[in-house]
């Protein structure tokens, strides 16, 4: 999604048209029946809006004209009845229009809010399916702004602009047809005015739309900046960056103000400009009609009215009729230009709404995380001979269900936690390879530790194990199965992960621990907390397990947050655990305690542990020393000490991690 898109108007017409088409079909997908009803009601209201001219015409033709022609009024029931019908019809029409307008306004309010709810739901649902890579390459402020500003622009488009444009178009087309039937020549004058109006609207509207879109984009940037500054309050204060932050904000704010100024400056002149052209057009049409009347009164055919009213200019009756007819025509031309003006007034919100819709569709168009895996995790029964069979109920044992396409058979492999990497190469971007030829063999129950300088690629290895990213070259096998064949959700379910940055959600401590296994009982959660040595501090909190964690668990210490995230990973009792710097924030006194808990946690599991503190990994089965994405040393603590290489130097402090 590119926010730097200069402006929507510069996009090709096809693109804008495509967005509009998709938006309408999206809207109709959810609210087909109601939208059709709304459009019918709008058409009805528009018809009523222009019917005054038609009724006036009818009165002139059917009542006034005969009266002027000498037909008597007294006792003329036919004429009375005609007038009654016309007035009654008019009343009925307005009543109907009133109901229709009430109905469509109410319905549109419901449709708009409902539709936006669906859009936000669809977007959020889709966002959850996107790969981690998407979030690496898009700023959070940008994504947030699609949920807020862009959906708001869409609200404006759907609730106001679409009905208004539809109304005005129906009215304008109908008026156009009636006026054409009345006088082609005068219509020609009106059309000239409309073309002029459209040109001005395009010029002014196009400019203001450009700035409105810029305003939208800077608004997104402003939100992103404020969000970042709120998150980084402590850092700002520690480094005394308040003034700098204010200056940076001022700059963004100035940009926003400038864009809004320009957008509104153009936007504000659009309405008066179009309206005044409308008035000017009215005057010109009146003058031209008058001229036709005065100069060519002998030949009314030029106005297209001569055939119907055989006019003799000497006859005052005919002249009066003519003047009234001209007044009707002028009234219609006024209504016509008013409607064209209304359409042009919507240019800004249409462009902004479509730009917003375009960005919403860009999110919806993002490719979800691909998953071709077909090997799934199932509950299993395993007999003494090691035969594995699938079980419908929870057995506490798990197996990989592996269907073979070739012969249609299904085999089961016990989930043991045997993970092997063979010559793995990987880079987040193709130009920069981060891991080179990494091979690791972790047998079930083994504890593998990674040490190495920051940026060496330790976290990256764990990102590959749970398939946040896919490897460029090499192979990763899990219990002998290529992990690309395993369904991602099942693969991740089989691993407990404590990420480098602990992320706890708003909710109670109990709920946060249960996040690791949604159907865990309170007892299971407490047992996991005990295992992670978090139980003691939790019970000391006034509310215990019911303590509500506020925004990013800021009411807990960093170490406490880590303990909860360890408990969260432990509650699922997974056969494989990945602990990324899990003990980095724990003080030395607690470390021994946590170490004990961690040892208990690691028992009988395959564990990958990343630690900067070498003391926590001494009892590992194998320690991998990473340097610039390569494993440069491997072996147990004792073996590595004996080798007297990098690990030895790190351990004895002769060598600092660079
Ligand atoms: N999302 C990403 N996109 C692009 N490059 C990344 C990304 N994450 C990490 N890198 C790069 O990959 C390399 C390895 O990063 P990694 O996070 O694996 O290091 P690490 O060994 O875990 O370091 P630390 O000890 O600081 O946690 C670094 O050079 C880093 O710049
Ligand atoms: Mg890391």
């Amino acid at each position: 999604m590119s926010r730097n898109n200069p402006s929507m108007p510069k996009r090709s017409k096809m693109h804008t048209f495509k967005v509009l088409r998709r938006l309408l079909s999206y809207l109709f997908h959810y609210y087909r029946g109601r939208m059709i009803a709304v459009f019918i009601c709008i058409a009805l209201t528009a018809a009523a809006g222009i019917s005054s001219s038609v009724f006036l015409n009818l009165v002139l033709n059917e009542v006034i004209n005969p009266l002027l022609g000498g037909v008597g009024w007294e006792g003329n029931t036919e004429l009375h009845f005609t007038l009654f019908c016309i007035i009654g019809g008019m009343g009925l029409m307005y009543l109907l229009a009133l109901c229709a307008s009430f109905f469509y306004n109410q319905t549109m309010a419901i449709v708009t809010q409902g539709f936006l709810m669906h859009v936000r739901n669809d977007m959020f649902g889709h966002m959850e399916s996107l790969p981690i890579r998407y979030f690496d390459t898009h700023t959070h402020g940008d994504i947030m702004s699609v949920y807020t500003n862009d959906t708001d622009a869409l609200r404006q488009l759907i609730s106001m602009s679409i009905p208004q444009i539809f109304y005005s178009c129906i009215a304008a087309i109908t008026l156009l047809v009636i006026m054409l039937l009345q006088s082609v020549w005068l219509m020609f004058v009106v059309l000239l005015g409309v073309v002029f109006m459209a040109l001005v609207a395009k010029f002014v509207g196009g400019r203001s739309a450009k700035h409105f879109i810029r305003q939208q984009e800077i608004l997104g940037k402003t939100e992103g900046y404020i969000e970042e500054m709120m998150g980084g309050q402590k850092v700002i204060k520690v480094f005394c960056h308040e003034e700098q932050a204010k200056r940076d904000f001022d700059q963004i704010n100035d940009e926003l103000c400038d864009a809004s100024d320009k957008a509104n400056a153009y936007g504000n002149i659009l309405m008066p400009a179009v309206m005044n052209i409308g008035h000017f057009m009215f005057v010109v049409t009146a003058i031209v009609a008058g001229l036709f009347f005065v100069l060519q009164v002998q030949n009314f055919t030029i106005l297209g009215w001569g055939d119907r009213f055989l006019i003799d200019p000497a006859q005052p009756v005919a002249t009066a009729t003519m003047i009234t007819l001209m007044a009707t025509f002028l009234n219609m031309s006024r209504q016509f230009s008013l409607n064209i003006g209304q359409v042009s007034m919507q240019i800004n919100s249409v462009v902004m709404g479509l730009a917003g819709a375009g960005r919403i569709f860009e999110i919806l168009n993002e490719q979800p995380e691909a998953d071709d895996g077909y090997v799934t995790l199932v509950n299993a029964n395993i007999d003494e001979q090691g035969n594995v069979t699938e079980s419908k109920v929870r057995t506490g044992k798990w197996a990989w269900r592996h269907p073979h396409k070739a012969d249609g058979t299904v085999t089961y492999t016990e989930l043991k936690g045997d993970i092997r990497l063979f010559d793995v190469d990987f880079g987040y971007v193709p130009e920069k390879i981060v891991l080179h030829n990494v091979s690791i063999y972790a047998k079930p129950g083994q504890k593998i530790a990674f040490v190495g300088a920051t940026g060496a690629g330790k976290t990256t290895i764990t990102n590959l194990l749970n398939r946040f990213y896919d490897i460029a070259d090499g192979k990763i096998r899990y219990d002998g199965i290529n992990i690309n064949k395993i369904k991602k959700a099942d693969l991740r379910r089989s691993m407990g992960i404590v990420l480098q940055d602990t992320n706890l959600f708003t909710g109670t401590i109990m709920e946060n621990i249960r996040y690791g296994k949604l159907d865990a009982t309170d007892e299971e959660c407490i047992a996991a907390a005990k295992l992670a040595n978090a139980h003691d501090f939790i019970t000391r909190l006034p509310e215990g397990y019911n303590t509500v964690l506020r925004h990013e668990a800021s009411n807990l210490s960093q170490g406490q947050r880590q303990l909860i995230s360890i408990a969260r990973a432990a509650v699922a009792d997974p056969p494989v655990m990945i602990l990324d710097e899990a003990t980095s924030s724990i003080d030395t006194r607690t470390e021994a305690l946590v170490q004990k808990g961690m040892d208990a946690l690691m028992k009988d599991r395959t564990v990958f542990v990343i630690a900067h503190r070498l003391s926590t990994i001494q009892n590992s089965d194998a320690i991998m020393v990473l340097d610039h994405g390569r494993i440069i040393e491997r072996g147990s603590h004792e073996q590595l000490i004996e080798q007297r290489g990098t690990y030895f130097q790190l351990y004895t402090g002769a060598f600092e991690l660079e």
Side-chain angles (χ1 to χ4, degrees):
M1 184 181 57
S2 160
R3 275 264 166 192
N4 295 331
N5 185 356
S7 71
M8 188 72 179
K10 281 187 188 159
R11 287 182 175 187
S12 70
K13 276 203 179 102
M14 188 56 205
H15 187 90
T16 311
F17 183 67
K18 251 171 134 175
V19 170
L20 180 64
R21 209 175 54 185
R22 178 153 173 201
L23 179 66
L24 289 177
S25 71
Y26 196 11
L27 188 59
F28 272 69
H29 168 72
Y30 284 116
Y31 295 103
R32 177 181 299 274
R34 290 192 205 199
M35 282 311 289
I36 291 173
V38 161
F39 281 133
I40 292 173
C41 288
I42 293 177
L44 214 73
T45 320
I50 53 170
S51 64
S52 61
S53 303
V54 178
F55 281 116
L56 187 63
N57 228 341
L58 275 175
V59 173
L60 284 170
N61 275 343
E62 307 299 330
V63 184
I64 307 291
N65 216 19
L67 281 177
L68 289 172
V71 174
W73 172 256
E74 287 295 321
N76 191 341
T77 45
E78 198 184 330
L79 209 61
H80 292 175
F81 182 69
T82 312
L83 187 63
F84 173 78
C85 284
I86 294 172
I87 294 173
M90 206 158 126
L92 206 68
M93 189 80 188
Y94 283 134
L95 192 70
L96 217 75
L98 186 74
C99 297
S101 138
F102 179 77
F103 172 79
Y104 90 71
N105 277 306
Q106 288 292 315
T107 312
M108 266 329 269
I110 297 168
V111 166
T112 308
Q113 296 311 328
F115 180 66
L116 291 184
M117 183 196 74
H118 284 300
V119 169
R120 283 191 296 262
N121 266 345
D122 290 351
M123 251 196 317
F124 192 80
H126 191 72
M127 190 179 80
E128 292 296 286
S129 75
L130 295 180
I132 293 289
R133 202 177 280 282
Y134 176 80
F135 300 94
D136 285 350
T137 47
H138 295 80
T139 66
H140 293 185
D142 244 2
I143 303 174
M144 286 286 293
S145 151
V146 178
Y147 281 94
T148 53
N149 299 330
D150 289 333
T151 45
D152 195 54
L154 197 59
R155 181 187 57 76
Q156 177 84 2
L157 171 69
I158 295 171
S159 66
M160 308 280 289
S161 305
I162 291 182
Q164 180 64 60
I165 290 175
F166 186 71
Y167 176 99
S168 297
C169 285
I170 294 269
I173 292 170
T174 318
L175 285 166
L176 187 80
V177 173
I178 301 174
M179 286 194 292
L180 262 177
L181 289 176
Q182 291 216 334
S183 168
V184 178
W185 287 99
L186 276 187
M187 189 59 226
F188 187 65
V189 179
V190 172
L191 278 183
L192 271 182
V194 168
V195 169
F196 189 53
M197 245 181 181
L199 285 177
V200 170
K202 186 166 181 269
F203 179 79
V204 181
R207 261 160 192 70
S208 79
K210 193 174 93 181
H211 292 294
F212 268 120
I213 287 183
R214 219 181 107 226
Q215 175 194 315
Q216 254 336 56
E217 283 169 2
I218 301 173
L219 207 59
K221 203 165 126 187
T222 315
E223 274 180 19
Y225 187 79
I226 296 173
E227 195 199 337
E228 203 176 333
M229 289 304 113
M230 285 195 301
Q233 268 305 305
K234 283 186 188 155
V235 182
I236 294 174
K237 287 198 166 43
V238 164
F239 290 96
C240 302
H241 258 258
E242 289 96 335
E243 288 308 314
Q244 179 67 38
K246 267 192 239 166
R247 273 199 296 278
D248 290 347
F249 182 75
D250 274 353
Q251 198 184 342
I252 302 178
N253 205 12
D254 280 348
E255 272 182 61
L256 181 61
C257 183
D258 176 60
S260 309
D261 265 359
K262 287 191 176 126
N264 286 303
Y266 282 112
N268 288 351
I269 56 169
L270 183 61
M271 174 82 169
V274 170
M275 285 303 164
N276 282 312
I277 295 173
H279 297 151
F280 186 66
M281 194 176 93
F282 182 76
V283 175
V284 173
T285 318
I287 291 173
V288 173
L291 279 178
F292 280 171
F293 178 65
V294 174
L295 301 176
Q296 310 213 3
V297 82
Q298 304 283 346
N299 182 10
F300 272 107
T301 43
I302 194 159
L303 287 174
W305 292 333
D307 315 342
R308 275 180 288 153
F309 306 97
L310 288 172
I311 305 257
D312 175 354
Q315 281 188 17
V317 173
T319 311
T321 314
M322 270 309 304
I323 290 172
T324 332
L325 273 171
M326 271 197 285
T328 328
F329 186 91
L330 286 173
N331 187 31
M332 281 196 280
S333 83
R334 208 177 147 78
Q335 277 189 324
F336 181 71
S337 62
L338 213 68
N339 280 299
I340 300 289
Q342 294 284 7
V343 172
S344 64
M345 289 309 301
Q346 302 301 326
I347 288 181
N348 290 328
S349 66
V350 169
V351 173
M352 267 166 64
L354 287 181
R359 280 191 286 270
I360 289 171
F361 292 145
E362 276 174 44
I363 289 194
L364 292 176
N365 282 349
E366 284 291 334
Q367 280 298 317
E369 189 172 12
D371 189 3
D372 304 326
Y374 53 90
V375 175
T376 49
L377 199 59
V378 292
N379 286 296
N381 287 314
I382 300 165
D383 65 18
E384 275 136 31
Q385 285 82 45
N387 295 323
V388 184
T389 47
E390 188 173 342
S391 163
K392 292 278 170 248
V393 291
R394 216 187 171 91
T395 56
K397 293 212 181 294
W398 299 90
W400 298 110
R401 182 182 186 277
H402 193 161
H404 300 274
K405 282 183 197 135
D407 53 9
T409 56
V410 175
T411 55
Y412 293 92
T413 315
E414 186 185 349
L415 170 66
K416 287 187 179 144
D418 179 297
I419 296 187
R420 290 160 197 246
L421 282 77
F422 302 94
D423 296 327
V424 168
D425 290 341
F426 172 75
Y428 289 96
V429 281
E431 313 84 78
K432 188 174 172 245
I433 298 295
V434 174
L435 294 180
H436 306 266
N437 268 327
V438 170
S439 294
I440 297 163
Y441 313 111
K443 296 199 190 105
Q446 278 193 331
K447 179 179 172 186
I448 311 289
F450 297 107
V451 294
T454 183
K458 306 179 293 291
T459 302
T460 306
I461 295 182
T462 62
N463 281 342
L464 298 181
L465 293 180
N466 56 39
R467 287 192 71 198
F468 280 160
Y469 300 89
D470 284 328
I471 53 177
D473 202 7
K475 237 182 258 164
I476 304 180
R477 289 188 175 275
Y478 191 154
D479 290 330
I481 304 163
N482 184 339
I483 61 162
N484 289 344
K485 291 183 184 169
I486 301 176
K487 225 169 147 32
K488 278 185 183 166
D490 285 342
L491 174 73
R492 290 171 191 164
R493 206 143 56 91
S494 76
M495 298 178 178
I497 303 174
V498 178
L499 295 171
Q500 191 162 7
D501 24 46
T502 40
N503 239 319
L504 298 175
F505 296 102
T506 304
T508 63
I509 290 185
M510 187 65 91
E511 283 163 357
N512 267 283
I513 297 178
R514 190 170 288 129
Y515 206 88
K517 184 181 160 207
L518 294 180
D519 57 355
T521 59
D522 283 1
E523 287 68 37
E524 283 178 294
C525 293
I526 293 169
K530 281 185 179 158
L531 199 62
N533 262 307
H535 182 71
D536 283 350
F537 97 79
I538 297 173
T539 45
R540 276 201 302 275
L541 294 171
E543 304 277 325
Y545 281 87
N546 294 324
T547 307
V548 175
L549 302 184
R550 288 197 304 270
H551 177 64
E552 288 175 5
S554 53
N555 45 342
L556 291 185
S557 78
Q558 184 70 30
Q560 289 170 335
R561 278 177 237 170
Q562 273 190 337
L563 291 181
I564 292 180
S565 71
I566 295 171
R568 177 175 65 186
V571 74
D573 195 18
V576 177
M577 283 285 272
I578 298 172
L579 306 167
D580 194 350
E581 314 267 7
T583 53
S584 63
S585 298
I586 294 168
D587 64 83
T588 339
R589 197 164 53 83
T590 332
E591 191 186 324
L593 255 181
V594 175
Q595 196 56 50
K596 247 174 67 191
M598 295 272 280
D599 287 344
L601 189 68
M602 291 175 189
K603 208 161 160 276
D604 300 328
R605 298 177 214 275
T606 313
V607 181
F608 294 93
V609 54
I610 300 173
H612 278 154
R613 287 197 208 173
L614 301 187
S615 57
T616 55
I617 52 157
Q618 279 176 30
N619 61 350
S620 304
D621 295 292
I623 297 169
M624 311 278 156
V625 184
L626 273 148
D627 183 39
H628 293 103
R630 291 176 202 277
I631 296 179
I632 51 167
E633 280 173 29
R634 63 172 83 212
S636 67
H637 175 70
E638 288 73 24
Q639 287 167 340
L640 291 179
I641 291 290
E642 251 172 51
Q643 272 186 25
R644 299 195 166 253
T646 311
Y647 183 80
F648 174 77
Q649 288 172 313
L650 284 174
Y651 188 71
T652 53
F655 191 73
E656 282 289 315
L657 291 173
E658 36 169 78

